[in-house]
Amino acid sequence: MENKKEEYWDIYTKDRIRTGRLHRRGDKMKAGDYHLVVHVCIFNHKNQLLIQQRQPFKKGWPNMWDVTVGGSAVAGDSSTQAAEREVWEELGLKIDFSEYRPVFTMNFSDGFDDYYIVREDIQLSNLHLQKEEVRNVCWVDREKALQMQKEGIMIPYWFLDWLFDIRDTQSFDAHGDRKKMIQIEYAGSKRLKSWMSLAEIVRDNFPGLETEEAFLEYRDTVIRNMERRSAICALDGNTVVGILLFSVKRNLICCMAVHPEYRRQHIAGRMLDMMMPHMDENRDVTVETFREDDEKGTAPRAFYLSRGFVPGESGISLGYPVQKFVLKMKS
């Protein structure tokens, strides 16, 4: 049986504000009182999750396999202090959590559960397991973890599969920053709805798309380009966050845009890199963008200049003043 000294938790309001009152572990929580729990999920470079088997005499999921560590914050603990303490107590592993934040928080009936994602290669032989808590540890990949869950020997976290997709806290955090997960591909018909959703967001930056009739014509143009593999998109999962149409015949960038919430992540450059091998290296590549005195032109002009384009002649396109930018190709 467990033989632990009395443990006390800080009591929080539903808005996660400390009340200054304490709760003794094991007593029934009062209505409206909440406490803090933390979990730490450690992944290695092979995308394997370090899991632990709980002792058969533990309360709460005895003998079951669990994520790396988890437990309640004791009185006085901040969330990061609790995470650091739990890792040390259960595994004998020192990790500095001072620069970490929870990747996500799960609310449960009696409190808040902060989940931390850590990426670190660890030698299992260097761990010192807390015999009162931990029976065993091992590394598992996604398939093995889900199989263990099907077999009924892994705690049934409904988000277990999802954990393997957010293992890198630099590519996905609580605010949805997934910059390292952005994929660039040739857009097919299955991307059309999401493509047009993005086009709707940025249509004010494309003269000639003001009317619904013009927007439907643009949709037909996108379909044609998708069919001839001259449509490139950036994807965050299944969501199109960048679009590029180009013409091989004219050596022309017809349309390029990035979702406002995904800018400054080099998406435009990656799409351009996928396009360039299709262009005729004996002809200049051109694009029309805004003129220098147009505030809409600040970002696109800076981008094209950074990629070696030079300003060309000015003109009018669809009734709007524009300027041609030219990328001089070597013969």
Side-chain angles (χ1 to χ4, degrees):
M1 298 293 292
E2 290 184 279
N3 181 23
K4 296 184 66 174
K5 64 181 181 179
E6 286 189 344
E7 182 178 297
Y8 288 86
W9 304 332
D10 287 310
I11 295 176
Y12 293 80
T13 68
K14 67 179 180 63
D15 297 315
R16 200 162 168 161
I17 299 172
R18 275 187 178 141
T19 65
R21 295 184 290 113
L22 298 180
H23 174 85
R24 185 173 63 182
R25 181 179 185 141
D27 292 347
K28 182 177 175 58
M29 293 285 291
K30 295 179 181 178
D33 285 353
Y34 302 90
H35 75 107
L36 176 62
V37 173
V38 298
H39 280 85
V40 178
C41 305
I42 299 178
F43 286 86
N44 63 18
H45 75 282
K46 298 178 181 177
N47 193 23
Q48 294 173 320
L49 172 65
L50 180 61
I51 62 174
Q52 64 155 282
Q53 186 180 23
R54 299 164 68 87
Q55 288 287 14
F57 48 77
K58 267 194 67 65
K59 292 181 180 179
W61 304 108
N63 212 37
M64 297 284 280
W65 286 88
D66 197 353
V67 295
T68 312
V69 300
S72 296
V74 300
D77 269 352
S78 67
S79 178
T80 53
Q81 287 170 336
E84 190 168 319
R85 178 180 52 76
E86 288 290 339
V87 172
W88 171 249
E89 288 181 355
E90 296 188 11
L91 302 181
L93 181 65
K94 271 291 187 185
I95 296 179
D96 182 3
F97 278 81
S98 59
E99 299 300 320
Y100 280 88
R101 290 188 299 165
V103 174
F104 63 95
T105 298
M106 301 286 294
N107 292 322
F108 62 100
S109 59
D110 289 334
F112 318 94
D113 193 346
D114 288 342
Y115 280 78
Y116 292 86
I117 310 294
V118 175
R119 189 178 180 89
E120 189 164 330
D121 291 320
I122 295 166
Q123 292 293 327
L124 299 186
S125 59
N126 293 334
L127 299 180
H128 301 282
L129 308 185
Q130 184 183 26
K131 63 180 182 180
E132 297 85 2
E133 302 272 350
V134 185
R135 185 177 185 179
N136 201 359
V137 293
C138 68
W139 292 105
V140 293
D141 57 19
R142 182 199 302 261
E143 290 70 28
K144 179 63 175 177
L146 295 178
Q147 181 61 34
M148 292 172 71
Q149 199 171 67
K150 285 184 178 180
E151 292 171 351
I153 60 173
M154 180 89 180
I155 293 177
Y157 294 106
W158 62 266
F159 49 86
L160 182 61
D161 189 16
W162 181 55
L163 275 177
F164 286 83
D165 291 327
I166 60 171
R167 65 192 184 278
D168 188 344
T169 57
Q170 297 302 311
S171 63
F172 184 96
D173 65 20
H175 296 87
D177 175 15
R178 297 168 59 97
K179 58 189 176 185
K180 290 187 179 178
M181 289 185 175
I182 304 300
Q183 301 297 317
I184 310 298
E185 67 173 37
Y186 295 103
S189 58
K190 67 179 181 180
R191 306 298 182 194
L192 181 60
K193 287 186 178 180
S194 188
W195 181 299
M196 295 306 296
S197 177
L198 174 55
E200 179 73 32
I201 295 171
V202 300
R203 66 190 296 183
D204 289 345
N205 289 331
F206 290 91
L209 295 185
E210 294 87 356
T211 67
E212 287 307 306
E213 182 181 4
F215 199 62
L216 289 174
E217 290 178 358
Y218 170 77
R219 181 179 183 275
D220 292 338
T221 299
V222 172
I223 292 172
R224 288 195 296 271
N225 278 268
M226 286 178 170
E227 291 171 347
R228 57 182 176 236
R229 286 176 64 84
S230 55
I232 293 171
C233 68
L235 292 172
D236 179 359
N238 291 316
T239 303
V240 173
V241 298
I243 54 179
L244 169 61
L245 296 180
F246 61 95
S247 169
V248 174
K249 183 178 181 179
R250 300 165 61 193
N251 246 34
L252 173 71
I253 299 172
C254 307
C255 151
M256 182 161 62
V258 175
H259 192 292
E261 294 184 15
Y262 287 79
R263 289 170 185 165
R264 299 184 182 278
Q265 297 182 27
H266 309 294
I267 291 174
R270 291 174 63 192
M271 292 192 296
L272 198 67
D273 289 341
M274 180 173 279
M275 178 202 77
M276 287 304 297
H278 296 279
M279 296 308 201
D280 185 346
E281 62 182 12
N282 296 310
R283 291 189 294 149
D284 295 340
V285 176
T286 61
V287 62
E288 287 184 343
T289 189
F290 303 98
R291 294 187 185 181
E292 188 174 11
D293 56 355
D294 191 328
E295 63 179 14
K296 293 182 179 180
T298 303
R301 291 174 65 91
F303 168 74
Y304 289 121
L305 288 171
S306 73
R307 297 295 301 224
F309 286 75
V310 295
E313 61 186 18
S314 297
I316 301 294
S317 177
L318 300 173
Y320 197 91
V322 296
Q323 184 173 18
K324 182 180 292 186
F325 268 55
V326 181
L327 179 63
K328 300 290 185 180
M329 303 291 280
K330 296 180 180 180
S331 301

